[in-house]
Amino acid sequence: MDDIILTGDDLTEISALKEFFNDQFKINDLGLLNYFLGIEVFYDNSGVILHQRKFIADLLREFGCDSASAVVSPLELGVKLKFDDGELLPRPDTYRSLVGKLNFLTHTRPDLCYAVQHLSQFLKCPRVPHMNAALHILRYLKGTLDFGVSLSTPSNFSLLAYCDSDWAACSESRRTVSGFCITLGSSLISWKSKKQTVVSLSSAEAEYRAMSKVVAELVWLVHLLTDLGIPSVSPVPVYCDNLDALHIAENPVFHERTKHIEVDSHFIRTKLADGLISLHHICTTSQLADIFTKCLTGGQHHLLLGKLGVSAPSNLRGGVGVT
């Protein structure tokens, strides 16, 4: 059995389409969207909140963490897992299953992205410390059971992007972790946390590579909004906390000093010249993409979550106190 969502602003056309589907396939109309592929939809006056409360509760029971004490962040501050540290897990499939399910949660829980990408590096040969870190994420979920992404009814359709990187974050490969997030109006619609494929020779180069990823995403989103008949507001502001990276993107005089950077990254200058984006500096303490590149203190972690619109519906219960 396949599930499908019909959405649009023409109720007559939606009704006609449902009648056509029913004639062809005999469908069941379940009414207003409340649950789809493990994702729950909560409606309030400002819009909707997408969350996975039931999926998380089942996950906690499956791994025996439903009675564990909660913690304030997905990973312990400063944790750096290694490939050969600790004993091998007797059942590595358990770890792989858990990380796979945590990865599914990142569809509505952007606060898990950095932790999940970090744990995903050890799927081939997981060890005890890796499993302990994964269980730590479950303890964090215990305290944030109802959290989800808030999608507000937009007053405007302007895009806004933040990008960041943690230079040479991987202690074994010295590759950098990049992260970005994009909002439409006040709603978070796209986010990413990923280790870069090559070693960056400086923090400016690492930030520049992170910037290229978010610009590529913006190009796709602008085309998508255009196809949906939504005029995009250009240029799209892109916020970065590294002044050197901004100078590289804006000043062609830097070309001789940046030849070692992959050619495809330089399309940032093209999009800047085309007027698609505008580049702006932002202080590190206000960088929303920080949560996608490193472990943060509990206070800073939850501060950024609030700014990103990741929260719990006011009349859902399930969150517990944290330690």
Side-chain angles (χ1 to χ4, degrees):
M1 180 181 295
D2 294 325
D3 295 330
I4 188 172
I5 300 174
L6 296 179
T7 183
D9 58 0
D10 191 327
L11 296 180
T12 302
E13 284 294 326
I14 291 178
S15 297
L17 183 57
K18 287 192 291 187
E19 290 179 5
F20 171 77
F21 281 152
N22 190 56
D23 292 338
Q24 300 295 319
F25 309 108
K26 300 303 179 184
I27 64 172
N28 291 321
D29 185 359
L30 301 179
L32 193 65
L33 177 64
N34 287 292
Y35 188 86
F36 185 75
L37 299 179
I39 298 176
E40 300 172 68
V41 182
F42 175 84
Y43 297 86
D44 60 19
N45 294 331
S46 62
V48 300
I49 294 180
L50 304 181
H51 64 99
Q52 292 170 272
R53 186 181 192 276
K54 181 180 182 301
F55 185 87
I56 295 173
D58 293 341
L59 194 59
L60 292 173
R61 284 191 294 270
E62 180 181 353
F63 288 89
C65 293
D66 48 337
S67 60
S69 59
V71 293
V72 293
S73 57
L75 291 178
E76 293 182 15
L77 189 64
V79 64
K80 294 291 183 181
L81 301 174
K82 297 183 177 181
F83 288 99
D84 57 357
D85 184 22
E87 297 181 4
L88 291 170
L89 285 177
R91 292 189 56 193
D93 57 308
T94 303
Y95 177 82
R96 293 166 187 149
S97 173
L98 175 54
V99 173
K101 292 177 179 180
L102 291 174
N103 187 53
F104 177 66
L105 275 175
T106 60
H107 288 98
T108 61
R109 297 294 301 267
D111 49 328
L112 302 182
C113 281
Y114 171 74
V116 172
Q117 73 81 24
H118 191 49
L119 296 183
S120 297
Q121 302 174 78
F122 311 106
L123 293 176
K124 182 178 179 180
C125 193
R127 297 174 180 268
V128 172
H130 308 150
M131 189 65 184
N132 290 338
L135 293 176
H136 188 276
I137 296 179
L138 292 182
R139 293 177 59 195
Y140 167 73
L141 290 172
K142 174 71 181 298
T144 57
L145 188 66
D146 300 326
F147 278 33
V149 175
S150 176
L151 301 177
S152 302
T153 303
S155 56
N156 64 77
F157 292 95
S158 59
L159 293 167
L160 189 65
Y162 298 83
C163 63
D164 193 27
S165 68
D166 188 12
W167 182 41
C170 180
S171 59
E172 303 213 352
S173 66
R174 286 305 174 188
R175 293 181 183 177
T176 298
V177 175
S178 297
F180 69 76
C181 59
I182 301 172
T183 61
L184 178 65
S186 60
S187 301
L188 183 66
I189 61 169
S190 180
W191 54 87
K192 187 91 171 176
S193 176
K194 189 174 182 178
K195 191 161 65 172
Q196 294 180 2
T197 57
V198 297
V199 177
S200 296
L201 301 182
S202 66
S203 59
E205 180 182 340
E207 293 276 359
Y208 195 50
R209 294 186 189 279
M211 193 188 303
S212 71
K213 298 302 181 184
V214 73
V215 173
E217 183 77 359
L218 285 172
V219 171
W220 180 81
L221 282 173
V222 168
H223 283 301
L224 176 63
L225 291 175
T226 302
D227 290 342
L228 294 174
I230 301 173
S232 60
V233 180
S234 297
V236 178
V238 177
Y239 288 94
C240 172
D241 60 9
N242 189 292
L243 285 172
D244 289 337
L246 295 177
H247 292 160
I248 292 173
E250 295 174 335
N251 188 355
V253 176
F254 279 74
H255 174 68
E256 290 297 326
R257 294 161 54 183
T258 56
K259 281 185 176 179
H260 60 286
I261 300 177
E262 296 172 350
V263 175
D264 59 354
S265 295
H266 286 271
F267 89 104
I268 294 173
R269 290 178 183 165
T270 302
K271 300 307 175 185
L272 188 62
D274 291 344
L276 177 71
I277 63 170
S278 61
L279 300 178
H280 306 272
H281 180 258
I282 190 171
C283 64
T284 302
T285 55
S286 301
Q287 175 58 272
L288 299 188
D290 217 26
I291 200 171
F292 301 104
T293 62
K294 58 181 71 70
C295 298
L296 302 173
T297 62
Q300 182 66 9
H301 179 83
H302 284 273
L303 176 65
L304 292 182
L305 280 190
K307 292 181 177 181
L308 290 170
V310 179
S311 60
S314 57
N315 62 343
L316 275 183
R317 286 184 278 173
V320 299
V322 294
T323 59

